[in-house]
């Protein structure tokens, strides 16, 4: 499903200086995998995620999504692919602060041209999947706790039923307990609904929830292993309303 | 993205910042409102001037005496001061000029008029029966000056309604009464209908007597003060003007055009020059108002640029979830156009109110034309697009990652 071949990314930082952030990364991810990309800050993992999420394009190398090389796609072509195939979860949630929970979750469907009623039905379903009860649907997102906000963000990532969910430090702004619950949610999405999940983190504990761990350092993959001691989030580990 | 979603989002975003949106709209309201009000005042003035000139009569040429100036003399008695036109000139014009419908020679002078202990000072016109037709003076009650009056040099008078009221009071029928001026009694035979004219020459404040009577008893000669000529149509007035000039030059034995002792005014020329003045006035007023509209537009641009900067992360997010450049651009453009459109609607109302107030309290006629309202809407939409375009393009071009990371 995802195949990266020798991807490099160079940022021009000055007239003659250039930062080589990715130095030839190659790997592939199959349908339904739960992959954690782990690395310290500055390792290039965020850049890698942006390229995987088509928010950015590689300087060289090829990126195949569902067998198609996306090199040379225009901004609008990339937006089209993001809309249909990729859901994002960000560290800082990136919710519209004044809008209601439901409205935030509906946002991707607005661009997909889905009718308002269908949109809200799907948003409610996605929120249920992400574990946020109907009592919050009309809340403004700036009235929610961090964990609740991240659930809204997860629901938003799910709502257009993308094949891939890209999560960039989804637990970075959450306390440990809440972070565990969010990770458990990802696991259940992966197991029960078959979404491919790619998780970016710098915390080994969080990476342990994935099936496969890719370690990145200085712009190169230094390790790519199956996670032998996968942490299993206990279903119903906490009353979700408490988070 | 659907239109309904676009509208919903637009209102949602604008209402999120009510005070700012409101103030920005206010700029447009003032701009559009002042354009509507100013143009309505200008057009009202233009309408008043044109109709007051047209109330003088239609297809009118007015021949009046020129400057009195002897050969080699430098002293001029001023235009109209010469007594060079005669009744014979008027008759010659009637007979020899093509396209003449009616000719009405007149003599006029200002006199003190008395009647039963009241008195007033007004213009006395010596006229013939054709005067009413040519100068649009209609009789209200009684009769106008008739050919018989002129033949008999009768001492009869027709009063303008204002003069009748001044002399006899309101609601009193003056017909059959006498008025006295130039040491003679004149019997009132009629009152003209009110024309409501003002300024230039008020036909309501006048006394009409037979021309022959005026020449015999007041001026003492056969000169006339002015010859009014009504042409058959607007188009031939210019040709008639040339023909009359030639005719009168021959009759007055003048060969050099520089020493012509009469002048001809073409009503069409007066209307034209007056409306061109009014047109200039309208343009002047509109351009002053246009400047405030421009300032309002800059206000829109300023607000949209601020909004785009503030919502950088939102733009990044929208792009991440699949918004195309066009979606983002249209969203911000829609916000700008909505602001100007709302400003246009409210501004049209405010402008209408202002011009109503000017008409009501300022005693100046105003006229709101559909064209100026449509123009205002067109201009406000264009302003929205023009001033919203740059901020919208800036938002659309944002790089999603940079936008998402924007602090």
């Amino acid at each position: 499903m995802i195949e990266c071949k020798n991807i490099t990314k160079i940022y021009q930082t000055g007239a003659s200086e250039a930062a080589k952030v990715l130095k030839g990364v190659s790997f592939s991810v199959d349908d339904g995998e739960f992959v954690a990309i782990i690395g310290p800050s500055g390792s290039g993992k965020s850049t890698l995620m942006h390229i995987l999420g088509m928010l950015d394009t590689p300087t060289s190398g090829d990126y195949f999504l569902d067998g198609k090389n996306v090199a040379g796609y225009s901004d609008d072509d990339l937006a089209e692919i993001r809309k249909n195939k990729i859901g994002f979860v960000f560290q800082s949630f990136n919710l519209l602060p004044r809008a209601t929970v439901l409205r935030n979750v509906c946002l991707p469907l607005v661009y997909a041209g889905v009718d308002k009623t269908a949109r809200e039905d799907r948003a409610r379903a996605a929120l249920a999947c992400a574990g946020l009860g109907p009592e919050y649907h009309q809340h403004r997102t700036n009235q929610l706790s961090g964990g609740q906000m991240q659930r809204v963000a997860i629901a938003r990532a799910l709502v257009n039923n993308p094949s891939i969910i890209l999560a960039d430090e989804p637990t970075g702004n959450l306390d440990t307990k809440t972070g565990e619950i969010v990770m458990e949610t990802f696991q259940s999405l992966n197991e029960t609904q078959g979404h491919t999940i790619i998780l970016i983190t710098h915390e080994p504990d969080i990476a342990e929830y994935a099936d496969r761990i890719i370690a990145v350092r200085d712009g190169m993959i230094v390790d790519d292993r199956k996670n032998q001691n996968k942490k299993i989030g206990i279903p119903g580990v906490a009353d979700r309303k408490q988070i | 993205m659907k239109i309904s979603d676009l509208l919903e989002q637009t209102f949602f975003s604008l209402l999120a910042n009510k005070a700012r949106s409101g103030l920005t709209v206010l700029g447009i309201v003032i701009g559009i409102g002042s354009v509507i009000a100013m143009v309505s005042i200008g057009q009202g003035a233009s309408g008043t001037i044109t109709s007051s000139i047209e109330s003088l009569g239609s297809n009118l040429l007015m021949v009046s005496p020129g400057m009195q100036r002897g050969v080699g003399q430098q002293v001029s008695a001023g235009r109209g001061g010469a007594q060079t036109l005669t009744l014979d000139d008027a008759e010659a014009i009637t007979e020899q000029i093509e396209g003449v419908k009616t000719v009405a020679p007149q003599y006029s002078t200002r006199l003190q008029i008395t009647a039963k202990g009241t008195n007033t000072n007004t213009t006395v016109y010596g006229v013939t029966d054709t005067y009413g037709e040519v100068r649009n003076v209609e009789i209200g009650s009684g009769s106008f000056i008739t050919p018989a009056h002129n033949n008999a040099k009768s001492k009869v008078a027709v009063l303008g309604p204002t003069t009748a009221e001044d002399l006899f009071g309101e609601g009193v029928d003056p017909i059959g009464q006498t008025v006295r001026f130039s040491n003679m009694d004149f019997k009132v035979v009629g009152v003209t209908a009110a024309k409501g004219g003002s300024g230039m020459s008020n036909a309501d404040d006048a006394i009409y007597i037979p021309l022959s009577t005026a020449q015999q008893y007041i001026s003492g000669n056969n000169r006339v003060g002015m010859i009014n000529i009504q042409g058959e149509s607007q188009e031939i007035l210019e040709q008639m003007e040339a023909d009359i000039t030639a005719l009168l030059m021959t009759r007055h034995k003048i060969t050099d055009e520089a020493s012509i002792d009469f002048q001809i005014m073409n009503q069409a020329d007066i209307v034209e020059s007056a409306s061109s003045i009014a047109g200039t006035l309208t343009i002047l007023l509109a351009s002053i108002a246009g400047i405030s509209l421009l300032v309002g537009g800059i206000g829109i641009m300023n607000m949209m640029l601020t909004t785009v900067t503030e919502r950088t992360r939102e733009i990044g997010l929208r792009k991440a979830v699949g918004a195309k450049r066009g979606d983002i651009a249209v969203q911000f453009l829609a916000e700008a156009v909505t602001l100007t459109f709302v400003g246009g609607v409210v501004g049209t109302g405010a402008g209408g109110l202002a011009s109503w107030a000017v008409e009501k309290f300022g005693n100046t006629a105003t006229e709101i034309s559909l064209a100026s309202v449509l123009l205002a809407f067109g201009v406000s939409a264009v302003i929205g697009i023009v001033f919203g375009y740059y901020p919208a393009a800036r938002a659309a071009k944002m790089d999603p990652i940079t936008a998402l990371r924007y602090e």
Side-chain angles (χ1 to χ4, degrees):
Chain A
M1 118 149 310
I2 287 177
E3 196 179 358
C4 292
K5 281 189 183 162
N6 207 18
I7 281 180
T8 67
K9 181 73 187 178
I10 299 165
Y11 286 112
Q12 209 68 34
T13 51
S16 56
E17 296 164 57
K20 207 165 182 185
V21 181
L22 294 178
K23 302 167 182 167
V25 174
S26 302
F27 69 101
S28 60
V29 177
D30 291 331
D31 265 351
E33 271 196 280
F34 188 172
V35 184
I37 296 175
I38 187 166
S41 70
S43 61
K45 62 184 190 304
S46 284
T47 304
L48 185 58
M49 188 198 113
H50 293 147
I51 290 171
L52 294 176
M54 293 188 208
L55 293 168
D56 206 351
T57 49
T59 309
S60 71
D62 294 308
Y63 174 30
F64 296 90
L65 183 71
D66 291 336
K68 280 185 208 125
N69 192 341
V70 300
Y73 277 31
S74 72
D75 279 5
D76 282 354
D77 294 337
L78 296 176
E80 190 70 27
I81 297 174
R82 287 198 295 269
K83 179 165 78 187
N84 297 322
K85 297 195 172 168
I86 303 170
F88 289 94
V89 177
F90 300 98
Q91 178 178 4
S92 50
F93 322 131
N94 280 319
L95 301 173
L96 305 179
R98 288 194 193 84
T100 61
V101 166
L102 209 55
R103 203 183 162 82
N104 265 283
V105 178
C106 283
L107 189 65
L109 299 179
V110 168
Y111 292 107
V114 178
D115 274 344
K116 195 173 166 123
T117 40
R119 212 153 68 198
E120 291 189 348
D121 289 346
R122 282 168 69 175
R124 279 182 236 278
L127 280 162
C129 267
L132 195 68
E135 65 272 26
Y136 295 105
H137 291 185
Q138 296 305 327
H139 278 47
R140 287 182 173 198
T141 53
N142 53 9
Q143 298 166 335
L144 302 177
S145 70
Q148 288 167 333
M149 285 203 257
Q150 199 56 297
R151 285 182 183 283
V152 175
I154 292 168
R156 183 181 63 197
L158 288 175
V159 75
N160 204 20
N161 202 22
S163 39
I164 306 159
I165 292 174
L166 286 174
D168 186 6
E169 303 271 12
T171 58
N173 279 355
L174 304 175
D175 60 66
T176 316
K177 184 85 184 152
T178 316
E180 281 171 7
I181 295 165
V182 165
M183 290 317 297
E184 183 249 313
T185 309
F186 278 120
Q187 269 186 347
S188 99
L189 287 173
N190 173 248
E191 283 158 18
T192 63
Q193 312 212 1
H195 291 286
T196 307
I197 294 174
I198 300 176
L199 169 79
I200 310 282
T201 184
H202 66 276
E203 291 175 86
D205 284 358
I206 295 298
E208 294 299 326
Y209 284 92
D211 296 320
R212 177 180 163 196
I213 298 171
I214 298 173
V216 182
R217 192 174 289 267
D218 297 330
M220 284 180 294
I221 293 177
V222 291
D223 189 21
D224 185 351
R225 64 183 167 88
K226 190 136 182 72
N227 185 11
Q228 301 297 345
N229 47 353
K230 182 179 175 181
K231 244 197 227 177
I232 306 294
I234 307 139
V237 69
D239 180 9
R240 280 165 185 165
K241 284 177 191 171
Q242 286 177 4
I243 61 171
Chain B
M1 195 169 184
K2 292 179 175 165
I3 298 288
S4 58
D5 291 331
L6 181 66
L7 290 177
E8 195 187 328
Q9 291 209 357
T10 302
F11 285 110
F12 181 78
S13 312
L14 291 179
L15 290 180
N17 256 312
K18 287 188 196 73
R20 189 162 67 191
S21 303
L23 288 171
T24 312
V25 165
L26 188 62
I28 295 294
V29 168
I30 291 171
I32 294 284
S34 49
V35 167
I36 297 262
M38 295 296 195
V39 169
S40 81
I41 291 168
Q43 288 190 332
S46 156
T48 310
I49 293 169
T50 312
S51 75
S52 95
I53 291 169
E54 277 170 354
S55 76
L56 293 179
S58 47
N59 305 334
L60 197 59
L61 286 179
M62 287 174 283
V63 185
S64 53
M67 278 182 266
Q68 188 178 37
R69 181 187 290 176
V71 181
Q73 271 187 311
Q74 293 301 311
V75 179
S76 164
R79 287 187 185 273
Q83 297 192 319
T84 53
L85 294 175
T86 63
L87 213 47
D88 296 340
D89 287 336
E91 268 161 30
I93 289 169
T94 317
E95 282 156 19
Q96 296 174 33
I97 301 296
E98 216 163 298
V100 172
K101 196 174 161 200
T102 321
V103 173
Q106 69 173 66
Y107 167 85
S108 66
T109 186
R110 273 194 95 82
L111 289 172
Q112 197 70 21
I113 322 291
T114 59
K116 270 194 195 163
T118 57
N119 73 94
T120 184
N121 186 298
T122 189
T123 312
V124 173
Y125 292 92
V127 298
T128 60
D129 57 302
T130 52
Y131 184 85
E133 182 188 341
V134 176
R135 293 295 294 263
N136 260 354
V137 176
E138 280 168 21
I139 194 73
S141 62
S143 72
F144 198 64
I145 305 297
T146 63
H149 289 148
N150 260 302
N151 291 339
K153 294 177 183 149
S154 316
K155 287 179 185 164
V156 293
V158 174
L159 307 185
T162 308
T163 312
E165 202 182 305
D166 289 347
L167 290 173
F168 298 102
E170 212 171 334
V172 178
D173 183 11
I175 293 174
Q177 312 256 30
T178 50
V179 291
R180 185 172 175 82
F181 48 88
S182 292
N183 297 322
M184 284 171 289
D185 283 332
F186 286 79
K187 189 180 171 204
V188 177
V189 294
V191 178
T192 62
K195 278 178 84 175
S198 61
M200 307 184 35
S201 59
N202 188 349
D204 289 353
D205 186 15
I207 291 182
Y208 305 95
I209 61 171
L211 177 60
S212 56
T213 314
Q215 286 175 332
Q216 176 85 32
Y217 301 112
I218 298 174
S219 73
N221 59 34
N222 73 336
R223 305 288 176 193
V224 296
M226 192 189 276
I227 303 172
N228 300 290
I229 301 142
Q230 187 172 36
E232 277 166 359
S233 72
Q234 179 96 42
E235 292 73 40
I236 59 168
L237 287 187
E238 235 166 278
Q239 181 58 44
M240 281 172 62
E241 193 178 336
D243 293 347
I244 292 167
T245 307
L247 175 70
L248 292 183
M249 278 172 75
T250 320
R251 288 182 56 82
H252 295 184
K253 302 185 176 60
I254 297 164
T255 48
D256 179 13
E257 285 207 10
S259 54
I260 285 178
D261 60 354
F262 58 89
Q263 54 184 348
I264 304 178
M265 279 199 293
N266 184 335
Q267 191 195 16
D269 293 346
I270 304 172
V271 173
E272 200 172 296
S273 63
S275 36
S276 97
I277 291 166
T280 312
L281 179 78
T282 307
I283 290 169
L284 178 76
L285 290 173
S287 40
I288 292 168
I291 290 168
S292 64
L293 191 55
L294 185 71
V295 174
I298 292 168
I300 295 266
M301 190 152 169
N302 193 5
M303 166 174 168
M304 291 314 297
L305 282 174
T306 313
T307 305
V308 167
T309 309
E310 276 181 358
R311 284 156 65 188
T312 302
R313 282 170 70 109
E314 179 192 325
I315 293 164
L317 172 78
R318 284 176 186 274
K319 287 200 157 190
V321 301
K324 295 181 179 167
R325 281 184 176 208
D327 293 328
I328 300 290
V330 163
Q331 185 190 342
F332 284 96
L333 210 51
E335 286 182 24
V337 172
T338 305
L339 288 174
T340 50
F341 187 77
V342 171
V345 172
V346 178
T348 305
L353 205 64
S355 78
W356 173 81
V358 165
E359 182 154 342
K360 179 103 176 161
F361 304 112
N363 273 330
T364 307
T366 59
E367 193 180 311
I368 298 177
S369 61
L370 183 66
S372 71
V373 173
L374 291 179
L375 187 76
F377 274 100
V379 166
S380 66
V382 168
I383 280 181
I385 292 167
V386 168
F387 289 97
Y389 180 79
Y390 173 65
R394 220 159 102 154
K397 267 188 253 161
M398 276 184 187
D399 174 42
I401 304 165
T402 322
L404 277 169
R405 285 181 177 162
Y406 183 84
E407 291 298 331

